[in-house]
């Protein structure tokens, strides 16, 4: 009986470690070019970008020498430190500011 209890505790502890090592999804709120609002849900590998018109685009993390870049669906978001740059579908590039919510 005691060995079953120890096994149950160890199993729970290992499950907790596996969960703790996974990055928690986050949400970043940006305003780009003073007119475009983006809500970005990200987990370190992928991101879902929602624009102010309700469109959603799935982006994938891409290696970049400039910083963390998510790209897909004709758009990308680059983060280097506290700086964000949005590349819009039409090819426009604009700086973004982070919004607190």
């Amino acid at each position: 009986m005691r060995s079953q209890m120890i096994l149950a505790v160890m199993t729970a502890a290992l499950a907790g470690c596996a969960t703790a090592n996974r990055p928690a999804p986050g949400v970043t709120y940006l305003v780009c070019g003073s007119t475009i609002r983006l809500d970005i849900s990200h987990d370190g590998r992928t991101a879902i970008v929602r624009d102010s018109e309700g469109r959603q685009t799935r982006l994938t993390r891409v290696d970049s020498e400039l910083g963390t870049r998510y790209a897909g669906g004709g758009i990308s978001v680059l983060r280097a430190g506290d700086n964000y740059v949005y590349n819009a579908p039409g090819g426009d590039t604009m700086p973004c500011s982070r919004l607190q919510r």
Side-chain angles (χ1 to χ4, degrees), residues 1-76:
M1 179 69 167
R2 182 177 176 170
S3 62
Q4 288 177 339
M5 188 184 329
I6 291 172
L7 182 61
V9 169
M10 289 180 68
T11 302
L14 289 174
C17 290
T19 302
N21 290 334
R22 236 180 286 146
V27 178
T28 301
Y29 303 99
L30 301 175
V31 62
C32 304
S34 72
T35 58
I36 299 173
R37 293 180 61 120
L38 301 176
D39 296 347
I40 305 170
S41 301
H42 49 89
D43 65 7
R45 289 179 286 198
T46 60
I48 303 295
V49 175
R50 289 173 198 85
D51 65 19
S52 53
E53 296 177 10
R55 291 182 296 233
Q56 293 187 19
T57 305
R58 182 187 167 110
L59 308 180
T60 303
R61 187 174 178 156
V62 179
D63 290 333
S64 171
E65 295 176 3
L66 301 174
T68 302
R69 182 172 178 257
Y70 290 89
I75 66 170
S76 70

